[in-house]
Amino acid sequence: SMGFAEDCTERLEAALTFELTYNENNGHVFLPKDKLLAATCQLLGCGIEQVEAALDALAEHHAVVIQRIANVEAVYLRRLWEAETSACARLLALLGMDADESRFADRTVAEIEKEQGITYAPLQRQAVELAAKVGVILLTGGPGTGKTTTVRGIVALFQKMGLNIVLAAPTGRAAKRMSELTGMEAQTVHRLLGMTWNEAAHQVTFQKTEKEPLEAEAVIVDEMSMVDVSLFSALLRALRPGTRLVLVGDADQLPSVGAGNVFSDLIRSKKIETVFLREVFRQAEQSAIIRNAHRVNLGESPDLKGNQGDFFFLCRRDAQRAVATVLELCKTRLPDNMHIPAEQIQVLTPTRKGPCGTINLNRLLQEALNPRTPGKREILWGERVFRVGDRIMQTRNDYDVVWQKDDGTVGTGMFNGDVGRIAEIDAGGEWLALDFDGRKAPYSVEMLSEIDLAYAQTVHKAQGSEYRCVVLAALPSAPSLMVRGVLYTALTRARELLVIVGDDAAIRSMAANDRQQKRYSGLKWRLCHAGDASE
């Protein structure tokens, strides 16, 4: 309609770029050339020769990079290729640094045990000692295996070595939890790097880079499974040569929302010292949540029989009955019988669609927990109602939002997954005051497209968060969501109580289904083949 021919070069190039960007949102860092060409031909309904010529033109003016990776002709958007190659080179440089302070380690670890009044298990001790000996370590383990105790030990070791330490996590909630568990301030990786939005280039830029690196001598990042390749590359760019780096996470959780499978790639490359914490400690072993999470991780069904203290299963194979049970649990049964206030209960579900999806559950939970009352203001936005007191979630990154805390601290940026409440709505219905964990921000009505109700969340969105009580609605849904990683991630979000409402057959099939969606990423291959002629 704009006067461009169907097979003109601009249109073919735009279609190729669109396919690469679309698949970045599905977690892929690159696409194999044959798959990219086939998808673009299907999109435009044109011949492969024309599309191949357009791809060559994109490569000539450096919009894409084509490189052979492990017998695959890989096509990258340039910025993702730069992120991956830069991350690999900088990581190898950190690994090459002489960081051995092991003379110091044995005696110091004994001192820390005495001060903290604990005795480390062999693998925990190994991790703390390794942190003194090498520049980069990976620490991974499921719930109850002592990751937090180990991190506290590494922090204490670095303090005794006189290092300036920085703690970070991918989300605000994960950073807050890290602060509570270590007693040190932790911040989001974005905030640590001084992220801003460049309006002209339409992309994120970071203030902290190799030109203005972080002052830190040791950086510890938690919830690493949520970090994508672009953020990981930006973090490594901001580290001075010789900075110690400790990456902590649970490799069995779902991978990052953004492109890449960074934590898993780093572990599988076997190029970095890795400690796998596998022993579940005795006090944790008493928790049925933790026992069942480990069962699921081994491919066994969770034990769904009877009351297990902190783990309940309510069999509801009919979707309408399941929904009614979820509402009843949140509104009366858990608050009245278990004394857990409704605001400390989080409903999780694998899916957005269907009776047990977040769209339907949020509407019904809003009616049950925050009903319309005279004098309580609300705004109708499309199909949704937003009301004062509603629990809400930011659904995409907005780098321009200005927020303020009660102590006067001012900052910018709200990120996909940040959860808050609607504190007030002005009388004219023009703006809302939102409160995200103490960060208060004014939102205009137009910005309501960026928020959603959060009484119910998808398991993917809940990653990196922990809740006092989780109610999981588990009924059959799309095959890609009925997998072990989704069930395991859901179980490990609950701290004190987990109630599963749903179909026992669906839960067993999720535990048995270890199908992971393949992500095209070259990080592991690059780390393993560094120094090869092909690089």
Side-chain angles (χ1 to χ4, degrees), residues 84-99:
E84 191 176 270
T85 50
S86 158
C88 178
R90 288 173 188 282
L91 196 55
L92 291 168
L94 287 178
L95 290 171
M97 289 286 174
D98 177 24

Side-chain angles (χ1 to χ4, degrees), residues 465-481:
S465 297
E466 194 180 62
Y467 310 96
R468 183 177 171 194
C469 170
V470 166
V471 174
L472 173 64
L475 274 93
S477 66
S480 62
L481 298 170

